[in-house]
């Protein structure tokens, strides 16, 4: 691909609900740009964006793809993102390097949960945006209803640029609302102008009024003229739109058909016309040499710096670090410094990446998106800069995974392969993580949702040829005591020659310190137990608290006092005192009113107001204590509650179902508290033969 200067670049992220047409939109644009000779389809699994086998199998985007399109002397870097919340990490990475967004809406499905999430992401990043309504070739699609819904939701920001023209149930053309002229597609791939049909006049009046309202909002002068009844010229409208779109105060609405490749020419023209090039955007980091602000601003003349926003670690195409150049001009064989890793990285060749195809490029200018191969130390969200001007940029905020399953190798001996494969998956996807829960003898796999974890499991099998089995995780219960006990145990064993002899008397009671498993004290007098055996007694306690006698869970908050015992000058040993202590601990623990503690989480659930009743009812069934409800704006409420960890199992699936995919949740550990009798009884019964 040719080299493009900063002013000729547009970085555009495609957002929207799953299945709304983002990938097929890119496919149509690539076809019209001459990048392909025929359009691929989701059904055939042959699109540029969804190149991964897992994506083709499931018929949906799972990863963000970068598709650079050369168009009329400019380069538009499209970042095609997954629409489902299960893969939100991919979307967040893409948004972190985008300068503008296209929010795609299905003409048949209308404004969906993913549409609103896309808007919220743009608001958070203050991204200029446009809506593009697909499926206008389908008679069930209603552009007018979608525009009205957007206006009701987002107010006077909404400015429809076009509206569709249908004849004999066919999508044949469109009305340009700015020009108030109609255009019909012809067989040559161009358009013929004609008068706006009578049946489109009412819709044109509605869209024109919305457009002019949005224009009027861009300045006080325009507002006065609008209310004074003045007409705006076409040049005035376009100038106001340029300013308004870039500021985010005007959000155009365009439309078309991806399958017919209609509407994409006007979309591309408006992307280049209204969306900012990187040199019109702000970008700042920290110069770690002097802790001053480094205003990169995508300036080609400043010190070189780049931000790694995504990593591809594919066993077939290799490892690539996807970057956005924030300043300077990168060239092959440059050596850049990674402040986070305190390491130099020699770049080697530079690439642009299109789906799963890489193409060498001579240089990458500030604001451009490209790829670097085989970075040894650098990882996603790291910064590359020069040693002379070491810079670091704020890392993108990536969603934390809250859904987890226990996993183990299906085939013995695959543990190392699975570990390596998961390492590569976690390198690519920051919303996947693993935790070794040694206390409960399990390894946990975390993700955004059950679907996300299913995909990880499938990728392990298909791409890395290793299989795991997942199951319900063992909840991290703990055991403690509420009472006191006084017990002893004498371990005596004779088997010819030296025997074994250890005798301890211990008292047990709550320590009052629930952060530590045990407190050990000794008050032995008269040498009943020699000092050199005290460590052996403590070792016995250490072994005992790993798996308590009640239900085999770790023990916490117990005080053990060794106050007496006896020993044999020949037969006593450290092993004997350790065993004696373990047996005394078991008996003393069970005599001191043992109880099971369960972990409690502080839970936050964010849902549209219409679903709060259902969510509250479900939380009550899950033994949760609702602490409060706080409105967070736009008809959304945050429910705060405390809930046992064991009740969070499969909560993501239930919440998704109850709220039509609009609810999200997060939690963190709060404390341990005594488990109800029926819960404790079930756990004790379940683990008695373990």
């Amino acid at each position: 691909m040719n080299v493009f200067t900063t002013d000729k670049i547009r970085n555009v992220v495609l957002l929207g609900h799953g299945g709304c047409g983002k990938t097929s939109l890119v496919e149509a644009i690539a076809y019209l740009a001459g990048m392909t000779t025929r359009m691929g389809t989701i059904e055939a699994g042959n699109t540029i964006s969804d190149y991964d086998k897992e994506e083709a199998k499931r018929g949906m985007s799972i990863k963000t793809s970068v598709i650079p399109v050369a168009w009329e002397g400019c380069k538009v870097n499209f970042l095609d993102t997954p629409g489902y919340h299960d893969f939100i990490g991919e979307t967040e990475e893409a948004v972190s390097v985008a300068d503008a967004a296209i929010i795609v809406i299905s003409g048949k499905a209308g404004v969906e949960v993913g549409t609103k999430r896309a808007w919220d992401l743009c608001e958070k990043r203050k991204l200029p945006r446009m809506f593009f309504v697909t499926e206008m070739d389908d008679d069930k699609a209603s552009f007018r209803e979608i525009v009205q819904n957007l206006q009701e939701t987002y107010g006077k920001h909404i400015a429809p640029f076009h509206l569709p023209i249908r004849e004999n149930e066919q999508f044949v053309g469109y009305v340009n609302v700015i020009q108030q002229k109609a255009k019909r597609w012809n067989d040559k791939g161009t358009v013929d102008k004609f008068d706006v049909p009578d049946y489109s006049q009412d819709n044109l009046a509605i869209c024109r009024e919305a457009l002019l309202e949005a224009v009027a909002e861009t300045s006080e002068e325009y507002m006065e003229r609008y209310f004074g009844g003045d007409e705006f010229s076409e040049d005035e409208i376009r100038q106001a739109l340029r300013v308004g779109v870039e500021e985010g105060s005007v959000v155009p609405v365009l439309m078309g058909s991806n399958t017919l490749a209609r509407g994409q020419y006007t979309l591309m023209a408006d992307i280049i016309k209204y969306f900012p090039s990187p040199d019109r955007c702000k970008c700042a980091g920290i110069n770690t040499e002097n802790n001053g602000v480094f205003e990169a601003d995508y300036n080609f003349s400043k010190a070189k710096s780049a931000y790694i926003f995504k990593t591809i670690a594919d066993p077939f195409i290799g490892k690539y670090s996807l970057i956005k150049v924030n300043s300077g001009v990168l060239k092959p064989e440059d050596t850049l410094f990674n402040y986070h890793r305190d390491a130099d990285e020699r770049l080697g060749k530079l690439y642009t990446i299109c789906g799963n195809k890489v193409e060498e490029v001579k240089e990458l200018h500030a604001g451009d998106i490209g790829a670097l191969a085989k970075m040894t130390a650098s990882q996603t969200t790291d910064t590359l800069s020069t040693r002379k001007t070491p810079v670091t940029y704020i890392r993108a905020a990536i969603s934390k995974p809250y859904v987890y399953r226990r996993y183990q190798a299906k085939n013995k001996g695959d543990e190392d392969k699975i570990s390596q494969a998961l390492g590569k998956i976690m390198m690519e996807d920051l919303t996947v993580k693993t935790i070794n829960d040694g206390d409960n003898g399990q390894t946990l796999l975390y993700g955004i949702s059950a679907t996300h974890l299913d995909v990880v499991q499938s990728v392990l099998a298909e791409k890395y040829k290793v299989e795991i089995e997942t199951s319900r995780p063992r909840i991290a219960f703990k055991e403690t005591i509420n009472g006191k006990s006084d017990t002893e145990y004498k371990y005596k064993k004779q088997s010819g020659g030296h025997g074994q002899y250890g005798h301890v008397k211990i008292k047990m009671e709550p320590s009052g310190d629930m952060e530590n498993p045990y407190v050990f004290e000794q008050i032995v007098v008269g040498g009943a137990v020699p000092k050199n055996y005290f460590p052996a007694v403590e070792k016995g306690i250490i072994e005992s608290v790993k798996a308590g006698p009640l239900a085999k869970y770790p023990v916490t908050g117990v005080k053990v006092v060794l106050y007496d015992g006896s020993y044999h000058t020949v037969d006593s040993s450290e092993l004997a005192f350790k065993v004696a202590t373990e047996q005394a601990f078991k008996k003393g623990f069970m005599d001191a009113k043992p109880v099971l503690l369960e972990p409690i989480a502080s839970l936050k659930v964010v849902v549209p107001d219409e679903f709060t009743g259902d969510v509250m009812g479900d939380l009550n069934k899950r033994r949760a204590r609702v602490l409060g409800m706080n409105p967070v704006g736009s008809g959304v409420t945050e429910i705060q509650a405390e809930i046992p960890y064991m009740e969070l199992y499969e909560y993501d699936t239930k919440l998704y179902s109850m709220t039509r995919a609009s609810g999200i949740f997060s939690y963190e550990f709060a404390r341990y508290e005594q488990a109800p009798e029926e819960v404790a009884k079930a756990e004790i019964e379940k683990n008695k033969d373990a």
Side-chain angles (χ1 to χ4, degrees):
M1 179 169 266
N2 294 333
V3 173
F4 289 83
T5 55
T6 309
D7 60 317
K8 298 296 184 183
I9 295 167
R10 305 291 185 275
N11 297 310
V12 182
V13 62
L14 298 180
L15 304 171
H17 197 81
C20 66
K22 298 183 294 297
T23 297
S24 57
L25 174 60
V26 172
E27 203 66 27
I29 291 170
Y31 171 71
L32 294 173
M35 294 167 61
T36 59
T37 54
R38 57 178 294 184
M39 289 190 288
T41 65
I42 304 296
E43 294 73 23
N46 60 352
T47 62
I48 300 172
S49 293
D50 292 353
Y51 59 86
D52 191 89
K53 282 185 179 180
E54 197 65 29
E55 293 176 310
K57 183 175 79 173
R58 294 176 182 265
M60 64 181 185
S61 297
I62 291 172
K63 298 179 178 180
T64 288
S65 295
V66 181
I67 313 295
V69 177
W71 192 277
E72 296 183 357
C74 291
K75 177 187 182 185
V76 181
N77 288 314
F78 284 107
L79 297 124
D80 182 16
T81 66
Y84 293 107
H85 186 69
D86 312 270
F87 313 105
I88 186 64
E90 295 281 334
T91 304
E92 289 165 335
E93 288 174 347
V95 168
S96 73
V97 294
D99 302 317
I102 301 289
I103 302 177
V104 182
I105 301 177
S106 161
K108 291 190 290 184
V111 176
E112 299 175 90
V113 170
T115 314
K116 296 175 180 176
R117 283 212 180 108
W119 178 278
D120 291 342
L121 276 171
C122 292
E123 286 287 283
K124 191 182 293 185
R125 291 276 306 177
K126 295 182 171 55
L127 286 181
R129 72 214 71 158
M130 297 180 186
F131 287 103
F132 186 82
V133 183
T134 62
E135 300 177 305
M136 284 296 106
D137 54 308
D138 194 303
D139 204 40
K140 294 176 184 175
S142 175
F143 184 73
R144 179 179 55 82
E145 282 184 20
I146 290 172
V147 170
Q148 288 178 337
N149 197 336
L150 290 173
Q151 287 174 318
E152 289 167 6
T153 308
Y154 303 117
K156 295 177 181 178
H157 293 295
I158 303 305
F161 276 20
H162 308 118
L163 62 134
I165 294 176
R166 285 197 179 86
E167 291 178 359
N168 301 319
E169 299 184 352
Q170 299 294 312
F171 179 43
V172 297
Y174 63 96
V175 176
N176 185 312
V177 178
I178 299 173
Q179 299 173 341
Q180 299 186 83
K181 292 180 180 177
K183 299 179 182 182
R184 185 195 307 272
W185 287 289
N186 57 38
D187 295 336
K188 300 173 185 176
T190 57
V191 292
D192 299 321
K193 296 179 181 178
F194 67 108
D195 293 332
V196 178
D198 292 341
Y199 57 79
S200 294
Q201 291 292 347
D202 288 344
N203 282 342
L204 173 59
I206 293 170
C207 290
R208 178 78 176 177
E209 188 64 24
L211 177 70
L212 294 178
E213 277 193 15
V215 168
E217 291 283 326
T218 60
S219 74
E220 289 185 12
E221 179 195 342
Y222 277 20
M223 183 72 78
E224 288 177 11
R225 287 180 58 189
Y226 174 73
F227 283 114
D230 278 5
E231 282 289 322
F232 300 125
S233 69
E234 184 177 324
D235 285 344
E236 286 176 325
I237 291 172
R238 291 194 184 279
Q239 181 56 34
L241 290 174
R242 281 192 183 93
V243 174
V245 171
E246 195 164 316
E247 289 178 346
S249 60
V250 176
V251 181
V253 187
L254 293 84
M255 53 85 226
S257 164
N258 296 340
T259 53
L260 298 178
R262 289 179 175 173
Q264 286 76 25
Y265 275 114
T266 52
L267 174 63
M268 291 299 290
D270 286 343
I271 285 173
I272 292 168
K273 193 183 300 176
Y274 295 111
F275 278 166
S277 53
D279 58 342
R280 296 175 64 88
C281 302
K282 293 291 183 184
C283 174
I286 298 295
N287 183 330
T288 59
E289 191 74 23
N290 56 24
N291 286 329
V293 175
F294 179 77
E295 294 179 349
D297 295 339
Y298 306 109
N299 189 328
F300 74 93
S301 65
K302 291 194 174 181
K304 302 178 187 194
S305 69
Y307 173 75
I308 301 174
F309 71 94
K310 180 174 172 55
T311 301
I312 297 174
D314 191 283
F316 304 111
I317 68 172
K319 180 190 173 185
Y320 289 91
S321 299
L322 274 58
I323 60 164
K324 184 180 187 183
V325 184
N326 288 353
S327 59
V329 178
L330 297 194
K331 297 186 178 181
E333 307 304 326
D334 277 346
T335 297
L336 294 183
F337 174 60
N338 185 327
Y339 169 77
H340 306 287
R341 314 289 166 190
D342 191 23
D344 289 315
E345 294 277 20
R346 189 173 176 83
L347 302 191
K349 295 177 181 178
L350 305 177
Y351 302 93
T352 56
I353 195 159
C354 182
N356 65 342
K357 293 182 173 60
V358 294
E359 184 179 342
E360 196 174 335
V361 66
K362 292 179 181 177
E363 54 190 33
L364 288 169
H365 282 240
D368 207 351
I369 287 173
L372 307 174
K374 299 174 183 175
M375 294 289 99
T376 54
S378 300
Q379 298 177 18
T380 305
T381 73
D382 283 357
T383 298
L384 298 173
S385 59
T386 64
R387 273 196 176 267
K388 188 176 179 181
T389 310
V391 177
T392 179
Y393 295 101
I394 294 174
R395 297 179 184 271
I398 306 297
S399 292
K400 183 179 176 181
Y402 289 103
V403 178
Y404 62 100
R405 299 285 181 271
R406 183 179 190 171
Y407 79 93
Q408 58 189 35
K410 189 172 183 180
N411 301 310
K412 284 187 177 180
D414 278 354
E415 287 81 6
D416 285 346
K417 291 180 183 177
I418 290 169
S419 179
Q420 291 171 11
L422 282 172
K424 290 178 181 177
I425 289 172
M426 288 187 285
M427 191 185 297
E428 287 190 288
D429 187 347
L430 301 186
T431 60
V432 176
K433 71 174 184 177
T434 60
I435 288 180
N436 183 22
D437 179 12
D439 285 348
N440 293 288
Q442 59 185 356
T443 313
L444 304 173
L445 179 64
Y446 277 77
I448 295 296
S449 66
T451 300
H452 187 202
L453 294 180
D454 287 345
V455 168
V456 172
Q457 188 173 1
S458 184
V459 168
L460 285 170
E462 295 293 326
K463 189 178 286 187
Y464 295 99
K465 309 303 179 189
V466 288
E467 293 185 79
I468 61 170
E469 293 176 331
T470 61
S471 57
R472 183 168 185 157
R474 192 171 191 240
I475 299 300
F477 285 91
K478 289 192 177 182
E479 300 178 22
T480 193
I481 53 175
N482 283 341
K484 298 181 179 181
S485 65
D486 185 340
T487 188
E488 67 174 308
Y489 190 86
K490 187 180 291 184
Y491 179 64
K492 189 176 181 182
K493 192 174 182 183
Q494 197 69 42
S495 55
H498 284 304
Q500 293 286 352
Y501 183 92
H503 176 209
V504 295
K505 293 183 179 181
I506 60 173
K507 290 180 180 179
M508 297 177 69
E509 63 182 38
S511 68
D513 177 9
M514 301 305 287
E515 297 295 318
N516 292 298
Y518 71 93
V519 173
F520 172 56
E521 293 181 4
Q522 59 77 25
I523 55 173
V524 178
V525 293
V529 177
K531 287 182 180 180
N532 57 307
Y533 292 128
F534 291 169
V537 172
E538 187 165 10
K539 283 181 184 177
I541 297 170
I542 291 170
E543 287 299 315
S544 298
V545 298
K546 289 178 181 177
L550 188 63
K552 306 296 188 295
Y553 286 107
V555 171
T556 192
V558 172
K559 181 178 180 181
V560 182
V561 179
L562 174 67
Y563 71 92
D564 201 0
S566 61
Y567 73 103
H568 190 279
T569 54
V570 176
D571 292 345
S572 285
S573 66
E574 289 187 4
L575 176 62
F577 272 98
K578 178 175 171 290
V579 173
T581 303
E582 289 174 2
Q583 296 301 320
F585 186 97
K586 285 181 185 178
K587 186 174 184 302
F589 190 90
M590 296 305 289
D591 290 344
K593 298 180 182 175
V595 293
L596 199 63
L597 303 175
E598 67 175 339
I600 304 297
S602 291
L603 174 71
K604 291 180 181 178
V605 187
V606 180
V607 291
D609 294 344
E610 61 190 290
F611 301 117
T612 53
D614 291 339
V615 172
M616 296 271 282
D618 180 67
L619 287 174
N620 287 330
K621 291 177 186 175
R622 293 173 181 266
R623 299 193 287 125
R625 289 188 292 270
V626 176
L627 304 178
M629 297 171 62
N630 304 313
V632 292
S634 304
V636 175
T637 293
E638 179 186 85
I639 301 170
Q640 295 181 339
E642 291 184 339
I643 187 170
Y645 266 73
M646 72 182 302
E647 301 294 345
L648 285 170
Y649 184 70
E650 296 186 339
Y651 185 63
D652 61 305
T653 306
K654 181 66 175 177
L655 184 65
Y656 186 95
S657 172
M658 281 189 298
T659 63
R660 298 182 204 145
S662 61
I664 58 172
F665 72 101
S666 61
Y667 62 86
E668 59 183 23
F669 174 75
R671 65 182 179 281
Y672 275 91
E673 63 180 42
Q674 188 170 333
E677 187 179 347
E678 64 274 13
V679 173
K681 191 179 289 184
E683 286 299 315
I684 293 167
E685 183 65 26
K686 184 172 72 176
N687 295 318
K688 69 178 183 180
D689 296 324

